[in-house]
Amino acid sequence: MKRRVRGDLAERWAERPRGRWRERWRESASLRSRLRGPAWLRLPRTRKEQRRAIQTVMALCVLALLPATWLFVSTEDRIGSVADAPRARVAVVFGAGLWKGEPSPYLAHRLDAAAELYRTDRIEVVLVTGDNSREDYDEPDAMRTYLTKHGVPDRRIVSDYAGFDTWDSCVRAKKIFGVDSAVLVSQGFHIRRAVALCDAAGVSSYGVAVDAVHDTTWYYGGAREVLAAGKAAVDAALKPDPHFLGPREPGVSRALDAPR
């Protein structure tokens, strides 16, 4: 009886549909391959693959840090405090956001530094540059109001309503307002990029790094600058036109001629 059962099983195994079995095996192998993902996502297994992966990661890190290194090297001797700032006719203050229509704490610190520069006769005119792309959002006017409340005469303040980013502000300072040299005011994590971009736009500059509390916003700004440095390098190399250029404005020259 046992021999007969074994014989029947052997006959069935010999008569099995081999083609169908092989087809199912191929389908399951293909499914396993898809579940593992593409080859470039798989973890390296051999020492050669691991060595190549490490070299690739190191190369990418170097490339990512090159623009930030350029910013530090090119601006090293032109960054300081309010007390270190050289005398200049114009100071440029970059926008840093509004809270319920009022300057954010970071922007207020920048404006305080600009007001101090004016009170100590280190500058004569303040150019406030920021975003006014919407009717309900007006950085330059909020900055002007804050400065007048802190001792800077309104006639000594000039507004740039199309400073949508740092590059736009620098290019417009040169091409629209005729600024050839200036003291730039911003936080430490941003000021190097501002100085480098203004240099590329033709504005000889010195950066005043405003003190700031090292809170979440500060750390976010510092991390963001690593990525922004790449865009800055591209802007400095290609020198694209700003989002909005427009006609030349005599605001800065008129403010310089106005009585103190």
Side-chain angles (χ1 to χ4, degrees):
M1 185 70 177
K2 291 182 179 179
R3 292 179 180 176
R4 190 176 301 171
V5 171
R6 290 176 180 174
D8 292 343
L9 290 175
E11 291 176 1
R12 291 178 183 178
W13 176 256
E15 296 174 356
R16 70 191 186 281
R18 297 184 180 181
R20 184 181 301 174
W21 180 83
R22 290 175 181 173
E23 184 179 347
R24 289 179 179 176
W25 176 258
R26 292 193 188 99
E27 290 177 354
S28 63
S30 176
L31 178 61
R32 291 195 301 272
S33 177
R34 288 196 299 270
L35 290 176
R36 284 198 299 266
W40 62 273
L41 281 178
R42 298 173 193 167
L43 293 175
R45 297 180 179 179
T46 66
R47 289 186 177 181
K48 185 177 181 181
E49 291 177 345
Q50 292 171 355
R51 186 164 54 250
R52 287 181 178 176
I54 293 173
Q55 291 172 347
T56 301
V57 171
M58 292 178 64
L60 291 175
C61 290
V62 170
L63 289 175
L65 294 176
L66 275 178
T69 303
W70 160 66
L71 291 181
F72 272 86
V73 172
S74 63
T75 63
E76 184 61 30
D77 58 344
R78 288 178 295 152
I79 304 294
S81 64
V82 171
D84 300 324
R87 296 188 181 277
R89 305 203 74 188
V90 180
V92 179
V93 183
F94 299 87
L98 303 178
W99 286 9
K100 298 180 180 180
E102 300 291 332
S104 66
Y106 273 67
L107 181 52
H109 291 323
R110 299 181 186 185
L111 296 170
D112 289 338
E116 180 65 19
L117 289 170
Y118 182 82
R119 284 193 296 268
T120 56
D121 292 326
R122 293 183 180 274
I123 61 167
E124 300 177 39
V125 169
V126 182
L127 174 62
V128 292
T129 174
D131 188 354
N132 182 216
S133 58
R134 308 191 311 266
E135 290 185 4
D136 60 338
Y137 190 86
D138 189 344
E139 280 187 324
D141 278 356
M143 295 162 75
R144 176 187 287 271
T145 300
Y146 187 97
L147 285 172
T148 56
K149 290 180 179 179
H150 288 76
V152 182
D154 185 77
R155 62 183 177 274
R156 288 285 174 170
I157 305 170
V158 181
S159 299
D160 175 13
Y161 294 96
F164 301 129
D165 60 22
T166 305
W167 174 249
D168 284 12
S169 295
C170 291
V171 173
R172 286 177 56 80
K174 173 67 175 182
K175 293 185 176 181
I176 303 301
F177 296 96
V179 177
D180 295 319
S181 62
V183 170
L184 312 182
V185 184
S186 188
Q187 267 74 30
F189 57 76
H190 170 249
I191 194 62
R192 293 181 183 275
R193 180 160 59 95
V195 170
L197 287 178
C198 278
D199 281 353
V203 180
S204 176
S205 58
Y206 183 92
V208 170
V210 179
D211 292 332
V213 178
H214 289 195
D215 55 8
T216 303
T217 303
W218 189 91
Y219 287 109
Y220 167 78
R224 178 178 175 273
E225 282 302 308
V226 177
L227 300 177
K231 179 181 180 300
V234 173
D235 287 337
L238 301 181
K239 294 180 171 55
D241 288 332
H243 294 83
F244 181 79
L245 195 58
R248 193 177 179 96
E249 297 183 15
V252 170
S253 58
R254 288 178 180 174
L256 290 171
D257 292 338
R260 288 184 66 90

